[in-house]
Amino acid sequence: MPERITIADAARHVGETVEIPGWLYNLRKSGRIVFPILRDGTGLIQCVAQKSELPEPVFEELKHLTQESSLIVRGKIRAEARAQGGYEMDVEGVEIVQKVAEIDPYPITPKEHGVEFLMDRRHLWLRSQRQHAIIRVRHEVIKAVRDYFDNHGFTLVDTPIFTPAACEGTTTLFEVNYFDDDKAYLTQSGQLYNEATAMAFGKVYSFGPTFRAEKSKTRRHLTEFWMVEPEMAYADLDEIKRVAEEMIVYIVGRVLDTRREELKVLERDVSKLEAVHAPFPRLSYDDAVKNLQQHGSEIQWGSDFGGADETILTEQFERPILVDRFPTAIKAFYMAPDPARPEVALGVDVLAPEGYGEIIGGGQRIHDLDLLLRRIEEHHLPREAFEWYIDLRKYGSVPHGGFGMGIERCVAWVCGLEHVRETIAFPRMLYRLRP
Ligand code: 4AD
Ligand code: MG
């Protein structure tokens, strides 16, 4: 029995007869030879099947095989410099597992399809090379994030998804029924819980799905996305910025080290990623507003950046930028005001270059009990739901803070994509809940 291998492993089996289980990616025919291209999730390999080497019915079956049929190919691996991946297989036998019916062919062909057509067939689209590359980069980004925090003394403490109250503002909550007429909300962020666990463990992070019900139809918004959120006791704004910067440099470095092939498939200009090293430019919200006005934006001091503003700002830099001290009035209730200038908050956003915009939001939290109570009132938040959070300001309160990074925004930037929808296997957006 020949050994069963993956395409990624072909290099270690040159000259051997092996078996590769997979799917038919494409098929070229040239008289008495057919060239099935096999994919197996680890790569692509061109096979060479000669009429003279195979029983007649096997050759005929292969010759008429339909795209995405599943099959197990047996043959000898040969190094071939001109082949994609560097290897080919000379076919000695084929077992068809399931043939795609000719009357109902695989709907995604190499021709161009519209995005909506493809999104409706997302369950199949994931098999294409480009989507495959994106998801592999995403996997590496997530691994890098975890390794970064695991190697820097952070403890992973995941936070609940059902929550009794809002964290980032009440207008963007998904409400669900929670037994006996009680209401729960899908979490917008694990931050408030991270603040509790940071007081228990010092440095923590959570990583999980988060939900936003804002009706934004932009290239940056999903209704369900994955956020990594570190939180640190005894950390000030400078320390929070330092960690954000170091984490991003680490992520980009890891993708460059391990996912060059995928970046090539995506035609990503890697020189842009190679430019991502510390220190990142730091500017204040005040200066960012002036800069935007000089570049033709209508923005006035006091309002948040729009998507277009973020694009204008970040197209000017080759590295991510750290923008701090946004107006307190437009930030969440928990944001610590700058003691020297209470109208601005000790918060920071990291904006990715090349027009990508915000990938991280974070900052220092209010640690003073009275101020926090005042803010909860000003924001008309139900105090009962926050009693536990208020407790943190009664029992050993310390300056602390952290940030959240949306994985999809980070991946969209690293991969150089137009829209976040391709960075997650099954995106959830304002007008998309299927498949
Ligand atoms: O800036 P945001 O709203 O900050 C928070 O939720 C804080 N509680 C995080 C913290 O300090 N622990 O969201 C953080 C990040 C954004 O910078 C962005 O990357 C991502 O989450 N994000 C979204 N990603 C995709 N779709 C959306 N609708 C997103 N909203 C936020
Ligand atoms: Mg934000």
Side-chain angles (χ1 to χ4, degrees), residues 168 212 304 310 331 335 348-349 358 360-362 404 409:
E168 291 303 313
R212 301 283 166 101
D304 211 347
E310 292 187 5
K331 287 292 178 183
M335 280 261 187
V348 60
D349 276 7
E358 181 188 340
I360 284 181
R409 295 225 186 138

Side-chain angles (χ1 to χ4, degrees), residues 108-121:
I108 302 175
T109 56
K111 73 164 195 201
E112 289 277 310
H113 296 285
V115 171
E116 286 307 308
F117 176 93
L118 292 167
M119 269 296 165
D120 286 341
R121 290 156 189 81

Side-chain angles (χ1 to χ4, degrees), residues 167-168 188-192 194 206 210-214 216 220-231 331-332 334-335 348-350 358-363 365 401-410 420:
C167 166
E168 291 303 313
Q188 300 161 309
S189 157
Q191 180 200 316
L192 304 189
N194 286 338
S206 61
T210 43
F211 305 85
R212 301 283 166 101
E214 61 208 321
S216 318
R220 299 183 169 97
H221 288 88
L222 297 167
T223 53
E224 175 181 314
F225 63 98
W226 286 67
M227 180 149 56
V228 60
E229 297 183 88
E231 190 72 21
K331 287 292 178 183
Y334 54 71
M335 280 261 187
V348 60
D349 276 7
V350 180
E358 181 188 340
I359 55 170
I360 284 181
R365 326 301 185 189
F403 60 83
M405 181 177 77
I407 290 294
E408 292 75 15
R409 295 225 186 138
C410 178
V420 290

Side-chain angles (χ1 to χ4, degrees), residues 358-373:
E358 181 188 340
I359 55 170
I360 284 181
Q364 245 180 275
R365 326 301 185 189
I366 292 173
H367 63 280
D368 178 74
L369 176 62
D370 293 331
L371 181 55
L372 182 67
L373 292 175

